[in-house]
């Protein structure tokens, strides 16, 4: 029914950087089988739309260069799944049975303790970043401001410009160097990576201590360096790393094992904690604990568990609280906890909080504009990313690009300030910390300078709250335009930085512009069209148009404004922005996930995939092991780099030899490695009866960095020994019959977070194995169901 | 390992009121098998704790009367599961395959349309209830007030008392009569019922149109009747009924079929819409769209699906919006949408919104008080409910009790107003609509009267917002005490009414009292201890202590206050209240669910249940059908009232007769009924080749009220015919091996919302069937894992 290319391998070990399959060979193979096209048509359309298909192929050949190593039409074999399903072998069951009710209570309590710790540490990190950024940026602005003021009257402002550009470039250079040379995974906001992790994809090195350190330093450098970035996105990544570290009770990087929380050393528990960490990060960044929980759930949890949700909520709460508490001390107002979050939209408390029915269409229109601008942003950034992948892949080039952007940002800002003649009176209650007089009269300040001469967070707040009339429409228009392109260029640089704040800033600027225009064109305008309100709506529209989150983003924004009244308009705006934006292109994070060919599982199987059954989707043939297997066979199987499987169904032969082998379990590569390392052979067990029985602890100690098979020495004698797997395999793996439809298989895998799903026939014989890549391959394209190629990139 | 009573039947048809098993026989059987004890110990404790077990049994015999038909140690066989798993038979797959991508898009759009309709209608209903209650209550208060004022000076206030009591009783009588005689399921808030429905339990008649009508009229009567109840809880039930009705595109009660939304006529889709309806209800009641979504998810959705969440969110949004819009017109302020929800806590906008670190311990202490008071409330209500089940089960008794409560409420209120000497000056900006002067000086009003002489919603708002000094501490104390017992007595009456508002009112009263006391004892008190703030915290604590929701309740309260600042304190308070309360007794809704012996599945299997395997948990032997089965056999199987199964594994015999039969599908009673009704027999198909093929439509038309088997006439000749089930059965049922541990089985059933899970052996032969009751039986009691008895009550 569907023309499907049989795959030879369904999983790779995902060891960092090791090319396990000959890359060119794979490509050749896939080229042969795909007959030159990058996209397969499946089902009924395959015959009808042949011509169109060919055309779209040609398009892609013409439009995009062929050599792009990362491509959204490929699916990388580099990425492994997390095992969200517990390994229920005899050891595990024995441990669980040995545990008393009190034991489970203690475990539960330690889960809460870990979540508390995660929240606390995440809050501290946010606090640290905030204070350091504020101090460093303060010094920088002071220096540049004084310099400009010195040269304003005597002339020679070009020196100020150079000073500013150099200062920015130096900061950005430091940030880019540590990212590019030490930990490239720390680049960007980290949200796509965390999204994938929560989805169940193991992204190498994403939750390591080194990544955290680089991330924190990197984000400080890029924000202080004046790039069009925010420090909020990286907080989510930071929280996740903290969670992955704390919950394991040890640090592999620091070689310290505190011998605590050993029970949590498996993917199931770790992923739960990482959800909590991500939520704590959101919570610290935006002062939005509920938004954080929703973010984690929207991105990650497939199965909603009430207790887990509460723990996530607790971590979020502690995180905001910690940040709040320490910042209140820093701001010399100890104990006042009413202003949470790294970014604070300030309180909307005046009479302008009210909105009227006739404003709803305006809001929806603004949502549509946000969707359009967001789609434009994403398309531009997509092409830029393609360009970067092709031409800017060497670390030193990446550092130079980042420095260039920093210098350009400074120059553009300076030019705009220089040519701006938008002077505003300096009121007694002015909120600007570094008002720049420049060519304005005494007692006035340059309002364009305010927008650039400030951390973006403060600029957003000014746009929301400054009195009507604080900004000149032309200033806002030019600022929007400039900042839009700067932010678009900046996202994807090899620096740690987020896109939330720039998006909000762009949106706030054009939103305020809309408000001003509306107030101008309507007679009684100034009463209802409070520009601050429209700035908020614009900010929501722009952010929604770029990232395309809805529920969690609504809550985050509502929590950040501290006012529920705007809940409904924000929702409407975000929904409109998403609908409009989705018409053109996907969300920014999804684009970047696709460009990295990560096998991301969506919520449901593609709508028209009932045509496919498990038989067509699965990988086969499957390498099975016997319940009692020869060591040599196991070593050979594990060492086979051309198959490189990760999970092996265990079968048992019938009494007579012609009876077929039945499925009786599933064992993972990591388990076999530990067994080989400890030489758990039947012969040895017989001879050395006193030998310590292998325990769960041995598996936990090896988690998560199991050694490669090459590092384990097995002698020729030992190769002849037998291994009894029955105690270690998951005795009751989930199975599906081979006629199961793809949506049904998908639902099972997605809901339970499975890594391997065994496909069996009527007689319980293994016929195939379904993994993440088998499911992620299928997606709905423009011409119906499409199949992505698998590649070893 | 575990001493488990083998059950004979695992499911009943759940037809309303038909005693399919002889009740006395069942009881005798269960008594025999349980050897007199109501509770089984499972696992290791079974031998050790025998003595204690016996004692606890004796306790239960002594403490509780034996004859209680409803008991929390039983599990009723009356309740069926919903099928959240799609019936993936050939017909279904063919339909899905026939559908184009555009078809799926249209379906998706119609889902959004349905959700919009659900939101709109729910909002309208909320609006209707609100306006009618306000009008009727206004008339009542006016009449009573004028009467009291007339008699205050001339004496003879007892006439006023009688007038008041009689007025209340009449309203309540009407409300109680329609509930008790027409639709008993409409009693109470409906939240436990909706919780169960979302959990996957089919509660008979819970989502019918008649229930909705009775609910709406009932809640109006009970609120106008002055009972200590709110109109918010019933909104959730109303929303759910609206959803179940609208999504099916027809009304079975009204015998109208609009021939639309036929695709949604199955449990999977219906349950999703009911989630949306419940969310819309919450949203309309509290003006809390996000809270509504979280409520639905917390209570219902096992599998978090982003698209579903968005639709739920949309329904919630529309619901608030509709209510808002119509109420703004009613309140002569059209277009102002800033004050959503039936209950509105008013805006907290003064400087008192700030809170300080040293207040946190106070908040937590208040949370603990709330937990204690909540537990007390629940324990009292538990005993009251037991009493009601035993002695007040006849409808006329129930009506009389409701009238009694109404009269007592009026009397107590009147007495308290009469003896209160708490006069407050009547300010120019007073918020009381019916200030009662009584014995106060001119220009003053009786403040106790304010609390009673008002809808509870207004009283709550007064407690939150009135100026410090508006209430006398003694007044508040006496009010709290009285209202606490009144509310406790009222919950569980045979009237439609919610417990949210009374809880909030009790909490707000003692919370405000705390605030006043704190302000008194501290020197600089009046600055920080704003009584309104403490009233809010108290309200949260009390409500949390009674219902024990956390995440959704936090969001609901935050949205109702319209201010995010209190988010953190509210969270802390709710968590504390839950922890403290859970130490003593479960939440109010869970108590009522248990007392009705509903097989409710919690989030996870009990912690210490790894001892149990599918083999021990499952029901066996299972009645299996052949792929091509004799009609007579099918009719006999379906008519067998002693087994009364709902799902039948379909097996296929091997080629030789000694080969074992393999599982090849699963078919439901409802499907077989439809097949029998349409006489889909192999012989007939051969003879009448032109006969119309049975389509999915036929199954959908019969959904959800499939006729009983007794109503289908099968002649003796037809009994000899054969039926081919292969086209209609789910060909790929989910299975587990018999050694699977209970938590693993539980996870599969819970995550996928299964109704039947087939247990197979190594050779894919059916050995048992696991259903909801098999899993819900096990729960963690005081002495470890306990097993509930199954009963035909």
């Amino acid at each position: 029914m569907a023309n499907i290319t049989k795959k030879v391998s369904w999983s790779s070990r995902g060891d960092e950087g090791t090319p396990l399959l000959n890359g060119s060979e794979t490509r050749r193979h896939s080229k042969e089988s795909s007959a030159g096209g990058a996209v397969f048509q499946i089902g009924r359309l395959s015959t009808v739309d042949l011509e169109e298909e060919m055309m779209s192929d040609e398009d892609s050949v013409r439009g995009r260069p062929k050599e792009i190593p990362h491509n959204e039409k490929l699916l990388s074999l580099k990425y492994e799944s997390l095992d969200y399903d517990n390994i229920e072998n005899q050891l595990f069951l024995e441990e669980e049975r040995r545990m008393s009710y009190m034991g489970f209570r203690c475990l539960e309590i330690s889960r809460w303790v870990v979540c508390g710790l995660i929240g606390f540490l995440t809050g501290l990190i946010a606090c640290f970043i905030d204070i350091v950024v504020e101090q460093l940026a303060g010094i920088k602005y002071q220096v540049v401001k004084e310099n400009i003021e010195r040269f304003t009257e005597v002339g020679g402002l070009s020196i100020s410009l150079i000073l500013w550009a150099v200062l920015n470039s130096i900061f950005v250079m430091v940030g880019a160097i540590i990212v590019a040379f030490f930990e490239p995974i720390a680049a960007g906001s980290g949200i796509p990576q965390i999204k994938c992790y929560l989805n169940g994809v193991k992204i190498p090195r994403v939750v390591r201590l080194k990544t955290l350190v680089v991330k924190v330093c990197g984000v400080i450098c890029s924000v202080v360096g004046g790039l069009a970035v925010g420090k909020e996105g990286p907080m989510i990544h930071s929280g996740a790393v903290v969670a992955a570290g704390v919950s394991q009770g040890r640090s592999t990087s620091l070689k310290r094992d505190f011998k605590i929380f050993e029970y949590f050393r498996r993917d199931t528990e770790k992923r739960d904690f990482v959800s909590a960490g991500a939520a704590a990060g959101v919570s610290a960044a935006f002062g939005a604990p509920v938004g954080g929980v929703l973010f984690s759930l929207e991105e990650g949890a497939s199965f909603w568990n009430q207790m887990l949700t509460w723990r996530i909520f607790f971590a979020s709460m502690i995180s905001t609280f910690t940040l709040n508490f320490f910042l209140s001390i820093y701001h010399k107002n100890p104990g006042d906890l009413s202003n949470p979050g790294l970014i604070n939209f300030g309180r909307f408390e005046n009479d302008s909080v009210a909105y009227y029915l006739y404003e709803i269409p305006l809001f929806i229109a603004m949502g549509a504009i946000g969707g359009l601008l967001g789609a434009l942003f994403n398309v531009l950034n997509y092409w830029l990313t393609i360009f970067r992948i092709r031409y800017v892949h060497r670390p030193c080039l990446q550092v130079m690009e980042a420095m260039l952007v920093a210098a350009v940002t400074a120059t553009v800002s300076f030019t705009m300030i220089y040519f701006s003649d938008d002077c505003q009176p300096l009121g007694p209650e002015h909120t600007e910390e570094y008002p720049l007089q420049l060519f304005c009269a005494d007692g006035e300040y340059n309002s364009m300078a305010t927008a650039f001469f400030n951390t973006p967070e403060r600029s957003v707040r000014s746009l929301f709250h400054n009195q009507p009339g604080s900004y000149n429409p032309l200033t806002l228009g030019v600022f929007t335009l400039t900042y839009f392109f700067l932010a678009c260029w900046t996202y994807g640089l090899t620096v740690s930085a987020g896109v939330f704040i720039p998006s909000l800033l762009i949106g706030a600027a054009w939103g305020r512009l809309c408000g001003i225009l509306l107030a101008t064109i309507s007679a009684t305008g100034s009463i209802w069209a409070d520009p601050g309100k429209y700035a908020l709506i614009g900010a929501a529209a722009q952010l929604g148009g770029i990232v395309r989150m809805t529920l969690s983003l609504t809550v985050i924004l509502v929590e950040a404004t501290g006012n529920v009244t705007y809940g409904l308009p924000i929702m409407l705006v975000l929904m409109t922005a998403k609908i409009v934006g989705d018409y053109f292109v996907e969300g920014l994070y999804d684009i970047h996930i696709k460009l990295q060919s990560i096998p991301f599982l969506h919520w449901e199987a593609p709508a028209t995939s009932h045509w496919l059954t498990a038989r067509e989707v699965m990988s086969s043939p499957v390498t099975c092991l016997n319940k009692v297997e020869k060591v040599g066979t196991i070593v050979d199987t594990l060492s086979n780099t051309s198959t490189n499987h990760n999970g092996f169904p265990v079968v048992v032969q019938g009494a007579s030899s012609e009876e077929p082998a039945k499925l009786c379990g599933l064992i993972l590569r990591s388990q076999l490695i530990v067994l080989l390392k400890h030489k758990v052979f039947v012969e040895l067990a017989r001879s050395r009866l006193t030998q310590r029985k292998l325990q769960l602890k041995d598996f936990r100690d090896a988690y998560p960095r199991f050694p490669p098979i090459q590092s384990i020495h097995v002698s020729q004698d030992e190769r002849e020994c037998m291994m009894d797997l029955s105690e270690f395999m998951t005795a009751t793996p989930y199975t599906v019959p081979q006629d199961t439809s793809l949506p049904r298989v998908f639902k099972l895998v997605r809901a339970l977070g499975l890594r391997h799903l065994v496909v069996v026939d009527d007689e319980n014989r293994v016929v195939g194995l379904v993994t993440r890549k088998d499911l992620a391959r299928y997606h709905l394209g423009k011409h119906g169901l499409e199949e992505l190629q698998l590649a070893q990139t």
Side-chain angles (χ1 to χ4, degrees), chain A:
Chain A
M1 180 162 45
N3 58 353
I4 293 192
T5 325
K6 277 290 161 217
K7 290 156 295 163
V8 271
S9 86
W10 69 81
S11 55
S12 76
R13 206 170 39 204
D15 271 332
E16 298 129 35
T18 329
L20 292 162
L21 273 176
N22 187 326
S24 61
E25 195 180 297
T26 319
R27 190 140 321 140
R28 183 162 48 74
H29 165 76
S30 57
K31 263 187 196 156
E32 278 167 16
S33 56
S34 70
V39 180
F40 294 89
Q41 297 299 123
I42 291 168
R44 292 161 303 160
L45 289 172
S46 58
T47 47
V48 188
D49 286 348
L50 202 63
E51 213 167 345
E52 203 177 325
E53 182 190 342
M54 295 304 285
M55 273 177 63
S56 77
D57 284 344
E58 275 169 43
D59 271 350
S60 76
V61 170
R62 251 185 280 126
R64 278 190 294 275
K66 260 187 177 174
E67 309 78 24
I68 298 175
H70 292 64
N71 188 316
E72 76 275 25
K73 296 287 183 202
L74 293 177
L75 210 56
S76 175
L77 288 172
K78 197 174 74 182
Y79 298 101
E80 274 311 309
S81 279
L82 295 170
D83 256 311
Y84 201 61
D85 185 38
N86 279 327
I87 300 167
E88 275 213 359
N89 54 18
Q90 277 184 37
L91 293 178
F92 175 80
L93 286 174
E94 272 165 27
E95 192 195 70
E96 296 282 307
R97 283 167 192 167
R98 227 180 295 125
M99 217 184 300
S100 67
Y101 179 57
M102 275 318 290
F104 283 104
R105 287 297 285 261
C106 289
L107 263 181
E108 191 61 27
I109 290 168
S110 55
R111 280 196 195 105
W112 282 88
V113 171
V114 169
C115 281
L117 271 176
I118 291 169
F120 181 71
L121 291 175
T122 309
L124 272 191
I125 289 173
C127 199
F128 173 76
I129 293 179
D130 195 51
I131 292 174
V132 172
V133 165
E134 203 154 301
Q135 292 292 348
L136 287 179
I139 293 169
K140 193 192 82 174
Y141 290 133
Q142 202 58 43
V143 168
V144 176
K145 183 180 171 234
E146 279 168 12
N147 191 283
I148 292 179
E149 275 166 0
R150 204 167 61 229
F151 286 104
T152 306
E153 286 169 36
V154 302
L157 274 173
S158 52
I159 296 175
S160 306
L161 166 60
I162 292 170
L163 173 73
W164 192 359
V166 167
L167 272 178
N168 275 7
S169 299
I170 289 174
F171 278 116
V172 171
M173 186 186 70
V174 175
I177 283 177
I178 54 174
V179 171
F181 287 97
F182 292 99
E183 196 52 276
I185 200 84
S189 74
I191 295 180
Q193 283 86 347
I194 296 306
K195 238 180 120 156
C196 292
Y197 189 94
L198 294 180
N199 190 261
V201 184
K202 199 174 195 163
I203 311 275
R205 302 190 312 285
V206 79
V207 289
R208 294 212 181 156
L209 184 63
K210 193 175 154 196
T211 311
L212 175 64
V213 174
V214 170
K215 193 113 211 168
V216 169
C217 299
V219 76
I220 290 172
C221 290
S222 39
V223 175
V224 173
L227 290 178
V229 296
K231 56 189 185 289
E232 280 67 21
M235 273 317 300
I236 298 167
H237 193 168
S238 305
V241 180
V242 167
V246 169
S247 65
Q248 303 299 297
R250 69 174 166 193
S251 166
T252 325
S253 310
L254 299 180
K255 309 250 182 315
R256 284 292 299 274
D257 190 341
F258 296 99
K259 305 278 181 201
I260 46 171
F261 308 141
E262 294 183 333
Y263 188 83
F264 302 146
R265 292 180 189 173
R266 48 190 155 121
D267 285 348
T268 322
E269 299 277 350
K270 197 170 169 183
R271 199 179 105 178
D272 286 351
F273 286 116
V274 170
S275 307
V282 175
S283 170
F286 302 96
V290 177
V293 173
L294 287 176
F295 174 85
S296 269
L297 291 170
E298 205 171 295
E299 298 307 340
S302 48
F303 179 65
W304 165 288
N305 181 315
Q306 206 172 22
M307 284 314 287
L308 171 62
T309 317
W310 290 347
R311 281 201 302 275
I312 296 179
F313 192 31
F314 181 68
S316 300
M317 208 170 78
I318 295 288
S319 163
T320 318
F321 187 84
T322 309
L323 174 71
N324 237 338
F325 179 67
F326 285 102
L327 280 189
S328 75
I329 292 175
Y330 173 71
H331 290 131
K332 311 258 171 12
N333 186 15
D336 179 11
L337 305 176
S338 320
N339 285 309
L342 280 187
I343 174 148
N344 193 310
F345 291 173
R347 206 148 317 134
F348 283 81
E349 270 190 320
N350 46 355
D351 292 333
S352 69
V353 290
Y355 60 93
Y356 293 92
L357 189 61
Y358 53 83
E359 290 189 278
I360 297 276
L362 292 174
F363 293 156
I364 290 178
M366 286 177 75
I369 297 174
L372 283 174
L373 287 179
L376 180 65
F377 188 99
N378 293 358
V379 168
L380 290 178
N381 194 269
Y382 169 79
W383 288 108
L384 195 62
T385 310
I386 295 277
F387 178 84
R388 282 194 180 124
I389 289 169
R390 279 188 74 187
Y391 301 110
V392 198
H393 41 73
R394 281 171 53 202
C396 44
L397 278 176
Q398 291 172 336
V399 173
M400 280 166 66
E401 194 201 0
M403 286 171 68
L404 176 68
V405 174
V408 168
T409 308
T411 312
V412 168
S413 314
F414 191 86
T415 317
M416 286 177 62
I417 293 172
Y418 188 83
F419 287 106
S420 152
D421 52 356
D422 179 15
C423 293
Q424 299 288 341
L426 192 60
E429 83 301 0
H430 65 92
T431 49
E432 290 74 30
E433 265 193 272
Y434 310 102
L436 193 65
Q437 192 181 344
L438 210 62
F439 305 118
C440 293
D442 284 346
E444 292 195 329
Y445 69 98
N446 184 309
S447 98
M448 179 67 94
T450 323
F452 283 109
F453 230 63
N454 237 330
T455 52
E457 284 87 354
R458 279 176 190 279
S459 306
V460 172
R461 222 178 317 163
S462 306
L463 285 167
F464 287 168
H465 292 293
N466 278 8
Q467 289 300 312
S470 308
Y471 293 92
N472 181 318
L474 188 67
T475 314
L476 283 176
V478 174
F479 175 78
T480 304
L481 205 68
T482 328
Y483 210 78
F484 183 87
F485 289 107
L486 279 179
C488 188
W489 191 9
T490 309
Y491 189 81
L493 280 186
T494 317
V495 293
S496 303
V499 76
F500 267 69
I501 297 299
S503 310
L504 287 173
L505 192 50
I506 297 165
W510 65 255
R512 198 172 172 110
L513 191 61
C514 289
I516 294 172
L517 294 181
L518 282 170
T520 316
I521 54 171
S522 67
T524 59
S526 52
I527 299 157
W528 59 274
D530 174 61
K533 178 167 62 179
Y534 282 83
L536 176 65
I537 297 296
Q542 183 65 53
L543 184 54
I546 291 174
V547 301
R548 310 284 165 77
M549 292 147 65
T550 55
L551 183 59
S552 57
L553 194 54
T554 308
V555 178
I556 288 172
L557 291 178
V558 167
E559 286 188 290
T561 51
N563 200 307
V564 177
T565 318
Y566 287 131
L568 185 67
I570 289 177
M571 281 174 220
L572 282 175
V573 161
L574 288 177
M575 279 201 171
T576 317
K578 185 177 162 62
I579 292 168
V580 172
D582 277 350
Y583 183 77
F584 298 100
V585 66
E586 284 181 290
L588 189 60
Y589 299 138
D590 296 312
I591 289 177
H592 280 259
I593 288 172
K594 270 204 173 170
L595 281 174
Q596 286 176 63
S597 308
I598 294 173
F600 191 88
L601 286 189
H602 291 276
W603 296 99
E604 280 172 346
T608 54
S609 60
H610 277 92
W611 289 97
L612 291 165
T613 64
R615 194 190 295 111
E616 290 151 312
V617 167
M618 72 191 183
S619 308
S620 68
V622 184
T623 315
C624 294
L625 298 176
N626 283 311
K627 209 168 178 178
V628 178
E629 186 62 87
K630 231 176 90 181
V631 173
T633 317
I634 292 175
V635 172
D636 291 343
T637 310
L638 293 186
S639 312
N640 186 346
T641 51
S642 73
T643 55
N644 201 21
H645 302 169
N646 261 301
F648 304 92
V650 181
V651 295
V652 63
Q653 292 295 335
S656 62
S657 59
E658 74 260 32
E659 250 184 76
K662 309 277 186 193
L663 173 72
C664 70
L666 182 77
I667 198 156
L668 299 180
R669 169 180 289 266
S670 58
Q671 293 177 294
L672 291 172
I673 296 267
V674 174
L675 294 181
L676 286 174
K677 207 174 116 199
H678 288 85
K679 309 211 177 296
V680 187
F681 307 146
V682 176
E683 287 74 9
L684 290 181
R686 271 185 210 140
S687 61
R688 289 182 282 164
L689 280 173
T690 53
Q691 197 203 21
R692 185 178 70 92
K693 204 171 150 252
L694 205 63
Q695 287 177 331
L696 267 190
K697 197 182 168 309
D698 300 299
F699 292 95
R700 284 179 184 153
D701 283 345
Y703 177 83
R705 304 192 198 168
F706 298 100
I709 180 69
Q710 290 78 4
S711 73
I712 290 166
H713 179 73
V714 179
S715 70
Q716 204 56 43
D717 281 357
E718 284 171 342
R719 285 182 67 89
E720 297 302 314
C721 290
M722 301 299 278
M723 254 165 81
D724 184 359
L725 306 178
S726 54
E727 205 177 344
F728 307 104
M729 69 193 186
T730 303
T732 52
Y734 292 111
T735 58
V736 284
Q738 41 186 341
D739 291 326
T740 316
S741 68
L742 175 59
R744 206 173 165 82
V745 173
F746 196 98
K747 200 179 160 198
L748 185 65
V749 170
R750 187 76 171 83
L752 299 179
L754 300 184
R755 187 174 176 188
H756 301 98
L757 178 62
V758 187
V759 182
V760 292
D761 66 4
D762 287 347
E763 313 241 309
N764 207 27
R765 281 174 303 205
V766 180
V767 292
L769 206 57
V770 173
T771 59
R772 168 176 292 271
K773 280 140 214 159
D774 301 312
L775 300 175
R777 272 188 307 154
Y778 300 96
H779 79 125
L780 266 184
K782 286 214 170 64
H783 314 291
L785 203 59
E786 292 176 352
E787 190 184 346
L788 301 178
Q789 274 184 61
L790 298 180
Q792 194 64 37
T793 48

